[in-house]
Amino acid sequence: MSYGASEIVAKLSRLFVVIVIARMLSPEDIGLAAAAFAICETLKALTENGVGQRIIAASDTELAAVTKRAHWIFWRWALLLMAGQLALGAALYALGFQVVGGLVAIAAFEYLFMPGGQVQVALAMREGRHPQVATIAGVQIVSANVLTVALAIVLPSPIVLILPRVLTAPIWLVAVRRLRPWHKDQTVAPAPLAPFVSYGLPVLGVEGVKALRLHTDKLVVGLLLGAEGLGLYFMAFNAGLNIATSYACALAKIAFAHLSQSLKLDIDARHSSVMSLLIISPFIAAQAILAPIYVPVLLGDSWSQIVPAVSILCLCALPLTLWTVAAARLRLKGHPEIELGVDALLVLMLTLSAVVTAPMGLTAMAIGYVATTTSILVIASAPLFFPSIAKSIQEV
């Protein structure tokens, strides 16, 4: 609930961003920023490499060695990702996508601030300090959104959706270092690298595929319908899916840490999923039903065409919440490769759905997105409630 409150506050502040950019930026400008945002978020997902989870799950005797090796990995991985994103931005610029390439390159500098606080965050979560970590994350996001609104009013251009995430990164870094001070223990040797690699590669694959699942459709829409079409699609997702999935996002951050302490994993995971669905369902229903009222009021009458898509996309929060708990259970049972397979299948089917439904319009694309996501994730989550069929699904 602490993370849920943080996510909801962050998403509400994001709603003000959506309101302002709907009035200050053209659909084409929004589409260009959305393309850059999708690329950056896909690459940023690669920072979730399982190293933090190794810290959370480490025993007290091995903690000093694990954190020392984790710090070593965090810095090298962040610099590698930064170099790769800068190169990608330069390549896009050279290919004629100057605006998108420039935005991707600017966003790469966020990686400079991440490795200095990642060990501290993992240690804080290991100690159960989820509310404080959630508050810090929420403050950074809200600060970035406030800055986005200010920039959109003063200098309306695609950069307002990218630059604030870099400028507010120091807020997160300073706060997490104050929350949980940590220094390398010079008297111990770093933990072996091999366990991090063997555990991290499947997790890295899962997170990368998960990011593709969230953003590949936007790239497909941009290629098929152009920047203006992507702008409409992006706004529909922000008004519908992003706010509705706040709880799922929060749940993803703490499900692993919570269930890792469980003595009855299957039972506790099942209870967690049921409770989560009971909590989120009334909010999702209300958002879907009230979309015809709040979308024109908040965004303006010119955006009324996205109302049906917003109502439909809200429903995606339910299967995503269910799968969040099921995926955490799989990781704790030592089967991240199953999660990877499910997410890879979902990416493939969502891409196919976007290609097929794009010529039919925004509402058809929303229906295809929700139907595809729901059918795949409900089937994949079935072992959470029916453990007897887990073996057969795993074999598939």
Side-chain angles (χ1 to χ4, degrees), residues 119-134:
V119 171
Q120 288 84 341
V121 167
L123 287 171
M125 294 187 69
R126 171 189 170 89
E127 296 165 1
R129 301 165 76 174
H130 302 108
Q132 295 93 327
V133 175

Side-chain angles (χ1 to χ4, degrees), residues 54-343:
R54 293 279 301 176
I55 294 175
I56 293 172
S59 66
D60 292 340
T61 56
E62 62 182 1
L63 184 59
V66 167
T67 51
K68 192 171 185 178
R69 175 60 72 187
H71 185 259
W72 185 92
I73 295 173
F74 281 139
W75 266 106
R76 282 152 183 80
W77 189 241
L79 293 176
L80 180 63
L81 289 175
M82 178 180 174
Q85 188 163 316
L86 286 172
L88 178 58
L92 289 170
Y93 190 93
L95 291 172
F97 303 99
Q98 287 89 350
V99 175
V100 176
L103 295 176
V104 169
I106 290 171
F109 291 96
E110 184 180 8
Y111 292 114
L112 287 176
F113 300 97
M114 296 177 67
Q118 287 174 299
V119 171
Q120 288 84 341
V121 167
L123 287 171
M125 294 187 69
R126 171 189 170 89
E127 296 165 1
R129 301 165 76 174
H130 302 108
Q132 295 93 327
V133 175
T135 299
I136 292 170
V139 168
Q140 186 205 350
I141 294 172
V142 171
S143 300
N145 290 339
V146 170
L147 184 56
T148 298
V149 171
L151 288 174
I153 295 173
V154 175
L155 184 65
S157 67
I159 198 173
V160 303
L161 291 175
I162 299 297
L163 183 60
R165 57 191 284 167
V166 178
L167 297 180
T168 58
I171 296 176
W172 173 86
L173 177 60
V174 171
V176 297
R177 290 174 69 92
R178 289 176 63 88
L179 172 65
R180 179 49 169 90
W182 171 82
H183 300 283
K184 288 187 290 186
D185 187 342
Q186 302 297 341
T187 64
V188 301
L193 184 60
F196 286 90
V197 175
S198 60
Y199 179 81
L201 285 177
V203 173
L204 194 62
V206 166
E207 296 298 334
V209 171
K210 188 186 298 182
L212 290 174
R213 183 243 296 171
L214 293 173
H215 302 293
T216 298
D217 58 317
K218 298 178 183 64
L219 300 178
V220 171
V221 172
L223 291 173
L224 294 177
L225 302 182
E228 184 174 350
L230 177 56
L232 294 172
Y233 187 76
F234 181 76
M235 290 296 285
F237 265 75
N238 270 277
L241 190 58
N242 276 4
I243 296 174
T245 55
S246 297
Y247 191 77
C249 293
L251 196 61
K253 293 178 181 178
I254 59 110
F256 182 90
H258 169 66
L259 294 176
S260 66
Q261 307 300 319
S262 172
L263 299 177
K264 299 177 180 179
L265 177 59
D266 288 343
I267 294 175
D268 287 344
R270 189 153 50 247
H271 289 171
S272 296
S273 63
V274 171
M275 181 184 69
S276 298
L277 289 173
L278 290 175
I279 290 173
I280 194 65
S281 294
F283 297 98
I284 300 305
Q287 188 183 350
I289 293 170
L290 297 175
I293 299 174
Y294 66 77
V295 170
V297 171
L298 296 178
L299 305 185
D301 292 334
S302 62
W303 293 93
S304 297
Q305 59 184 305
I306 72 172
V307 167
V310 171
S311 294
I312 294 166
L313 287 168
C314 293
L315 304 177
C316 242
L318 300 177
L320 287 173
T321 297
L322 184 63
W323 175 239
T324 296
V325 179
R329 171 182 171 273
L330 284 172
R331 291 192 187 188
L332 287 166
K333 282 183 168 291
H335 297 298
E337 72 281 357
I338 301 178
E339 182 186 359
L340 175 59
V342 172
D343 281 332

